[in-house]
Amino acid sequence: MDSNDARRRLTGVPRLSQMNPLSRREFLRRMGYGALFVAGGPTLLAACGDGTGDDAAGCTFASTNSGDNKQINFANWTLYIDVLEDGWFETTSLEDFEAATGIKVNYLEEINDNDSWFGKVQGQMTACANIERDIAVLTDWMAARFIRQGWAEELNKANLPNAVNLTDSLKSPGFDPNRTYTLPWQSGLTAIGYNPQLTGRELTSINDIFDPAFAGKVTMLTEMRDTLGLVMLGMGIDPATPSLADAEAATDKIRQNVENGHIRRFTGNDYGDDLTAGNVVAAFAWSGDIIQLQLDNPDLQFVIPDEGLMLWSDNMLIPAGAPNKDAAEQYMNSVYDPRVAAKIESWVNYICPVKGAQQAMRDLGAEIEDEDLVALADDPLIFPDQATLSKTHIFKNLDEEEERQFNDLFQAVIGA
Amino acid sequence: MSAVGREVSSSAPTAAWRRKLVPYGLLLPGGLWLIIFFVVPMLRLVSVSLQTGIYPRYRFAWAWSNYAELVTNYGGQAVNSLVYAFLATAIAFLIAYPLAYFIAFRGGRWKNFLLVMLLMPFLMPFLLRTLSWKIILADHGLLVDLLKSVHLLGEDGRLLATGVAVVAGIVYNFLAFMTLPIYVSLEKIDRSLVEAANDLYASPAVAFRKVTFPLSRPGVVAGTLLTFIPAVGDYVNAVLLGTPQQFMIGNVIQSRFLVVLDYPVAAALSFTLMIVTVLLIIPYVRAAGTEDLVA
């Protein structure tokens, strides 16, 4: 008995290197068959990968309200609802809602970025699977995409009596003219945030951002509609009705300023770090961020430019097939109670889409005897006056083809 | 004895079969894993890369033109990827080798402590680590002021939002992947071999060149691969520390995939990136010797 046999008996397993040549070849051959079997997949895969979207027409979502409506899953952005820490109140608006209705809200801070969240759920939505989210908060254009794909449930207006409190300027956006599918969660302004100490002068125009004195010290936003919209306003183009040629003109202007090093970066809300650190002196910025950043650096200013500024909103919608639709609508309705809205707003600091919230915030401030909260109700960036609102513009509701073309142009300019 | 013999002979065919099947059985878990999570997605990737259309209506069309876009539209980013990854790997090696050498040969009773220190930054999230570089390299930070005062950096010079910052970020983020394999192979070296070299009148430099370094080569090969491969595909450092001029191919894939919803081109770029990386690595591993990788 040779030692190989002994070892084989000990372990009961022949090693690959100990097999005789024939059986090793045989082994590899069989593995080859296996690989061939797998490689036969492409036909199959080409078939299933072909026309991903056509499947969408072929499948249907589960009917809503399949759940017990005792709890909802609420997907929202980070730092986008009132919490106790740094807040004004003893309870949060979510706790109030749970106490009043017995509906548990699983609040998920899982949206950092419209595109990434879309990337996460699109596979399941395309296959009409339940993503187990009863409410998702999405920016206008992403909400538009959900509606276009048939991925949003129609709201039952009977469950939403408070929706009458929706502010007039947001009642009929292009992507959802009758607010059939969506209700705004917050809206906000996009314009220029800057540090007057570092610019050495007051900024009044969008085109001030192209001042050669600020070379390499300005940033713009990766959010296409905000950046293109502002640049277009500066060029005298109406962002509500841009043609492809207008988009090309605006991206050309941005490209020149990228290539000569004038524009330092394109950012999400991380422009805040650069602005407070002084790496950047002026940036395309969101109003709510600047209010927050002013706590760290009171010098920072938010300009309402002469040419106008952009208005956007993030909208609550119910993804198709949501299991607890009634409970979700009950929650949406509660948010449109001015007192609840005021409470959320006292922490979030974007623009409140609910009529009466300003007065409610003053009342709440008086009740807890806090002058700061009363004063917050008069912040023009949270409750903008009519003069400011009349200067706001909403970007065109692009169709699929345009969205692709505009994105192509813009992404090429911002480096990718 | 005869009873045992009879039992063996009666069950011999089954045992033989079992012996034949066992290797396949052992391969099954790993093989299935590879097939489900690598081969199938890869085939799907190739299939998507040959489609055309607008989201979500892509159709399969043998669209090889998707592959041409790498050269026609994204040549700059591809070059950035290769150059930054190469520089970062080289710099990481120059930092990691002496570091690993010191820990392995001079660490003494501090060895474990030093290794923990090396890994400590990895307890912090990747994004935070990268963002901290923004503080170090800030336009009005200590480092920039220092470099300006010795005129290594012009009056308007900056480090942040340049290629320097991107390479620095990559080096830092992958340094441990370079250091640990080198440390392990240095640690394994039998000291008496070095002593023998010294006994045979090799100077310390010669002993290092002829004994220590060749024996540590498996670690060097593993370390450089573990750094280079992820560095080529990295995009976070370019976003946070660079400008659009520093963007790498990973940024393009990310934007094509998530923002433009151009899955076919994103897939074609991903697949090409993989092939190019493999093509670059094969001659390297060949030259370094495959045994080194598995030794």
Side-chain angles (χ1 to χ4, degrees), chain A residues 8 12-14 19 26-27 30-31 38 42 45-46 48-54 115-116 118-119 122 126 145 149 151 216-217 258-259 261 264-266 270 274 277-279 400-401 404 407-408 411 413-416, chain B residues 19-20 22-24 26-27 35 39-40 43-44 47 51 53-60 74 77 131 134 138-140 158 160-161 239-245 247 251-252 254-263:
Chain A
R8 207 176 287 171
V13 180
M19 290 171 151
E26 172 72 2
F27 176 75
R30 282 186 207 167
M31 294 314 291
V38 172
L45 287 167
C48 91
D50 193 17
T52 322
D54 296 339
D115 289 314
S116 313
F118 179 81
Q122 68 89 15
T126 309
R145 190 187 286 170
Q149 304 280 3
W151 294 352
K217 302 221 167 265
V258 169
E259 282 169 1
R264 183 179 178 118
R265 284 176 65 215
F266 292 85
D270 48 324
D274 278 333
N279 297 330
E400 279 172 34
E401 182 76 32
R404 168 75 177 265
N407 264 331
D408 251 344
Q411 293 296 313
V413 168
I414 71 171
Chain B
R19 261 179 218 162
K20 275 190 180 163
V22 160
Y24 300 101
L26 286 177
L27 267 181
I35 288 170
V39 179
V40 171
L43 290 172
R44 167 100 174 124
S47 137
Q51 297 178 3
I54 290 181
Y55 180 90
R57 287 178 299 278
Y58 301 120
R59 44 194 182 75
F60 193 84
Y74 308 114
Q77 287 93 338
L131 285 171
K134 297 189 75 160
D139 288 11
H140 302 283
R158 63 173 196 226
L160 203 56
V239 170
L240 296 178
L241 304 173
T243 75
Q245 272 108 326
F247 276 10
N251 300 92
V252 179
Q254 191 255 5
S255 127
R256 286 280 120 186
F257 197 76
L258 286 179
V259 184
V260 188
L261 301 180
D262 188 356
Y263 294 178

Side-chain angles (χ1 to χ4, degrees), chain B residues 85 87-101 103 114-115 117-122 126 129-130 133 166-184 219-220 222-228 230-231 234 237:
Chain B
L87 280 177
T89 308
I91 296 170
F93 172 74
L94 291 178
I95 298 174
Y97 200 95
L99 186 63
Y101 188 93
I103 298 176
L114 290 172
L115 283 175
M117 292 304 286
L118 178 71
L119 289 175
M120 202 65 116
F122 282 76
F126 180 77
R129 270 184 281 139
T130 310
W133 274 91
V166 179
V167 173
I170 299 176
V171 169
Y172 174 66
N173 278 315
F174 295 114
L175 190 60
F177 294 111
M178 180 72 90
T179 315
L180 286 178
I182 297 179
Y183 165 79
V184 170
V220 174
T224 45
L225 289 183
L226 282 177
T227 307
F228 184 80
D234 183 81
N237 288 289

Side-chain angles (χ1 to χ4, degrees), chain B residues 150-162:
Chain B
V150 297
H151 292 277
L152 272 174
L153 210 58
E155 205 40 51
D156 277 338
R158 63 173 196 226
L159 290 176
L160 203 56
T162 64

Side-chain angles (χ1 to χ4, degrees), chain A residues 122-140:
Chain A
Q122 68 89 15
Q124 284 167 285
M125 295 301 291
T126 309
C128 301
N130 178 5
I131 59 166
E132 292 181 353
R133 298 291 177 271
D134 300 295
I135 305 179
V137 173
L138 301 172
T139 307
D140 299 319

